Each structure stands twice: as structure tokens, then as C-alpha cells.
Amino acid sequence: DSARRVRAANLTVQWDIWEEPNWHGWWNASNGSQAQFFETWRYAVRRLRAIDPAAQIVGPSLNKYDPSTNPPTNWLQPFLLFAQQENVLPDILTWHEILPSQGPRSIAWHAEDARSFMRQHGIAVRGIGINEVGSSDRQTNPGLVVWYLASLEAANVSFAARACWQDDAETVNNCRTQTLDGILTPQFQPRAAYWAYRRYAELAGELISVVYDDAVDGIASLDHGAKAVRLLLLFTHRLFLFIKHFDLKIHEFACPVSFRWEKPVVKQVV
């Protein structure tokens, strides 16, 4: 019924068939096996596409990226091979990046690993999406927000979505409040993470590369019309992370352009 109503209303939605099927809380709690999930996926995709051939389907939305080096818990590669064989591949391949044990930079490595596997097996999807980003202990740290954003850009994903969690500092669950998943307080005031997202949204023009190291990472844009470079940088200092936003006016530039941070200045490398 939902698929028919969406099609009748000419809405554009993405169908996410199941949430984290590889986690016991969402799938194995009912004693479901991997093979049973694959069958559920096949049935759902075929039903959706029978009702709406243009339906946009994302999945399998695993709770983590499981690399090929860990076959006992590997869901992604068997899923892709099954979906290819049954002609039920998702339009967008999705998983979550929410484990505290994995840093933001792992996102780009995971995306490349997935693309490499798909190239080897002739599997074609429209893109990769990370539909939950950020662990519960990192949700309000603006430096880590920038680190995640920079890593998502480096991974060239089609889309990403911020994860929501229980917020002990505000004693609320950010999945159930109108706080933009916790970047606002329950009184709708900006928290530190809000400013990282706002500066990211203000980047204009063409994204250019930032040469990162263990001390700095970030995102930069080149606005040809305004002849301006905007940088949103993450700095690490011992156990602390903080951000800095720069707007630089330039008179002449050539492409391609990248920036390397060399304390205490930014210099153009062409």
C-alpha cells in the first residue's frame, strides 16, 4: 500500500528494506538467519519494483562495514553476490559507520574496498550511501564532525545521514526530539557540533583537496566567482580536537588546486 501511495503521489523516496540485519537487535532477535534475510530482501525488492519500476532501493544498511578479511561475520560480499545473481541489487549500497573502534578515515577505505570488490565481480550500483554516521560518544564534538565530513567527501559517497543517540548530557534521546539529531539543545539552541555543519553548508564553489596528516584534516572549496577559498579544518592536539574556519581572498589561481597545512600558514600548491 505504501508503495502504491508513493507512486500515485509522484513522490521520490528511498526504500530501505531492513535496518541493520546483521545486528542481533534487529534481525537475529527473531532467530533469523542470513539466508532468510536474503530471501526477505529478494521478495521485497521484486514486490516494490513490480509496483513501481522506478523505485529507489537502498541497502542492506548493515550496522558496520564488514571487510573481506573477516569472513565469519561477512554480510556485505555474500549479499552483493546474491543480489547480483537474483537481479535484486540495490540502487545505492548502504551501511553504517557508527562503531567507536573505527575512526572517521576508515570510511574512505571501506568505500574503496567495496568498490574494488564490485569491480572484480562486475557488480554495478548507482552509488554508496552511509545512512548512519558517528558513534554516540562523538555526536557533539565539532572537530570529529568535520573529520567525518572530510572523510565522507574523500569517499565520494552519494549521501550520508547523521546518526542519532541517547544524549546523556541533555538527558534526552535525540532520535525522538526536534533537535536535528542532537546538534541543537532541547531548547533549540545551537550546540558546538551545529557550527561545524553550518560552516560546511557555507562552502561554495568547487571542492578541492586538502592534504591531511596526523595533525590536520578538513574540507576546502574554491569559489571562482568570488575568487575565494574557504577552508574548514580540524586540528588535533593531544586528546583534544578543535576546528577553524578560514575565508581567503585570492587574486590569481590555476587549477587543479590543493592546500597543505604547514604550521602556522596555509600555502597554495598548484
Side-chain angles (χ1 to χ4, degrees), residues 142-165:
L144 283 166
V145 167
V146 174
W147 210 349
Y148 275 115
L149 292 172
S151 299
L152 289 165
E153 291 290 357
N156 193 28
V157 298
S158 299
F159 68 86
R162 175 181 167 88
C164 59
W165 300 95

Side-chain angles (χ1 to χ4, degrees), residues 112-131:
E112 180 50 38
D113 187 61
R115 291 185 177 112
S116 176
F117 179 82
M118 290 190 287
R119 284 194 299 268
Q120 292 171 13
H121 294 273
I123 297 172
V125 297
R126 295 182 189 174
I128 289 174
I130 311 299
N131 45 9

Side-chain angles (χ1 to χ4, degrees), residues 20 22 60-70 73-77 80 93-99 101-102 106-118 128-130 132:
E20 298 184 347
N22 62 326
S61 298
L62 305 177
N63 78 327
K64 62 180 179 179
Y65 184 81
D66 47 4
S68 56
T69 55
N70 195 21
T73 60
N74 190 344
W75 277 63
L76 192 65
Q77 293 182 1
L80 285 168
L93 180 68
T94 58
W95 65 83
H96 301 168
E97 294 279 355
I98 57 175
L99 298 184
S101 60
Q102 295 179 336
S106 63
I107 296 174
W109 305 335
H110 294 163
E112 180 50 38
D113 187 61
R115 291 185 177 112
S116 176
F117 179 82
M118 290 190 287
I128 289 174
I130 311 299
E132 287 192 27

Side-chain angles (χ1 to χ4, degrees), residues 218-267:
I219 314 169
S221 69
L222 175 62
D223 188 338
H224 291 263
K227 291 187 176 182
V229 173
R230 296 180 175 87
L231 299 98
L232 181 56
L233 300 179
L234 152 76
F235 297 89
T236 62
H237 177 66
R238 296 183 181 176
L239 298 180
F240 300 96
L241 301 118
F242 58 98
I243 63 174
K244 183 69 176 177
H245 179 255
F246 297 90
D247 283 339
L248 306 179
K249 288 291 185 178
I250 55 179
H251 299 288
E252 296 181 1
F253 53 81
C255 289
V257 176
S258 65
F259 284 85
R260 181 189 301 274
W261 178 263
E262 294 190 355
K263 299 176 182 178
V265 299
V266 175
K267 74 173 184 179

Side-chain angles (χ1 to χ4, degrees), residues 46 86 105 113 145 149 152 175 188 192 205 213-214 241 256 259:
R46 288 179 176 175
E86 299 295 327
R105 270 189 198 137
D113 187 61
V145 167
L149 292 172
L152 289 165
C175 302
F188 310 115
D213 58 25
D214 291 338
L241 301 118
F259 284 85

